[in-house]
Amino acid sequence: KVRKNYAPINTKTLLLSATPSSYFLKKFGYNEKDIIYYKNEKVLNKKIELNFCDTMPSGLKHSNTFVCLNSRKYCQEVYLDECVDNLYHAAYIDSYKSNIYTNLKATHSDKKNISNSSWAVTSIATTGLDISFQNGVFSNIFPSMFLQALGRIDRWHNLKSTPKIIVLKTN
């Protein structure tokens, strides 16, 4: 909203991941000519189920779920407790990161064929990922990182089921 009100007239805004819905863009005073859409893909208004939980939900394995947690330790605990299929966080050395990232892109970056595996990640590791999941589970993280992570849920609006987002109140 600040950018819209204080940027020079005729300034264009490029919307990337975690783009707000068109409803909020209109509330901020934007109109069609103010926005450059990434790859000409417009924001869609799609319903998302939002839940708040005190503990990590069960049944996340093979569920196409993106679990974004606030610490490496918590991320590893969730993985070691066999809550999720895979683990990806920022502490891996580069060679491991490369292999994990290749695997993650292979299972979740194709717009037509998304795997059913679930991933536990730390928020810092999500920044550049161009991937999409059906559901998301999030622990307390900074708002900007939360928005980045939200951008990974049904990213291309091509999944048939209503996406679900669970916010963990404690950990």
Side-chain angles (χ1 to χ4, degrees):
K1 189 172 182 179
V2 170
R3 176 174 170 74
K4 171 65 180 161
N5 291 334
Y6 292 99
I9 294 173
N10 296 326
T11 297
K12 297 280 187 186
T13 298
L14 174 62
L15 300 176
L16 298 171
S17 63
T19 300
S21 72
S22 56
Y23 168 80
F24 283 108
L25 291 174
K26 288 177 186 170
K27 287 278 195 188
F28 293 156
Y30 283 89
N31 58 47
E32 288 291 318
K33 65 179 190 231
D34 296 326
I35 302 166
I36 302 169
Y37 291 99
Y38 176 65
K39 294 183 180 177
N40 295 320
E41 295 180 17
K42 293 190 175 184
V43 178
L44 301 179
N45 290 326
K46 185 169 185 176
K47 292 184 178 179
I48 295 177
E49 182 181 321
L50 178 62
N51 299 304
F52 294 89
C53 293
D54 291 321
T55 59
M56 183 65 63
S58 60
L60 297 178
K61 288 193 107 169
H62 316 300
S63 64
N64 198 8
T65 299
F66 184 68
V67 181
C68 186
L69 304 171
N70 60 352
S71 73
R72 290 188 309 239
K73 182 179 177 187
Y74 189 25
C75 195
Q76 288 170 322
E77 286 173 4
V78 166
Y79 177 68
L80 291 173
D81 288 344
E82 298 185 358
C83 296
V84 295
D85 301 299
N86 302 289
L87 174 66
Y88 180 49
H89 62 61
Y92 287 107
I93 60 173
D94 288 342
S95 60
Y96 284 118
K97 274 189 202 171
S98 177
N99 291 338
I100 293 169
Y101 186 59
T102 299
N103 184 16
L104 211 162
K105 287 202 52 100
T107 59
H108 284 84
S109 67
D110 184 347
K111 295 182 184 184
K112 296 174 186 159
N113 182 21
I114 296 176
S115 166
N116 279 332
S117 64
S118 57
W119 285 79
V121 306
T122 48
S123 53
I124 195 69
T126 72
T127 311
L129 302 181
D130 190 21
I131 53 178
S132 181
F133 289 81
Q134 174 67 45
N135 306 305
V137 178
F138 303 99
S139 65
N140 300 325
I141 54 178
F142 295 114
S144 59
M145 292 180 176
F146 181 64
L147 287 174
Q148 279 287 338
L150 283 179
R152 313 298 171 235
I153 306 306
D154 195 9
R155 185 177 187 88
W156 298 291
H157 308 284
N158 63 340
L159 300 172
K160 294 177 182 172
S161 302
T162 301
K164 296 177 186 170
I165 292 176
I166 295 172
V167 178
L168 298 173
K169 294 189 273 188
T170 59
N171 63 350

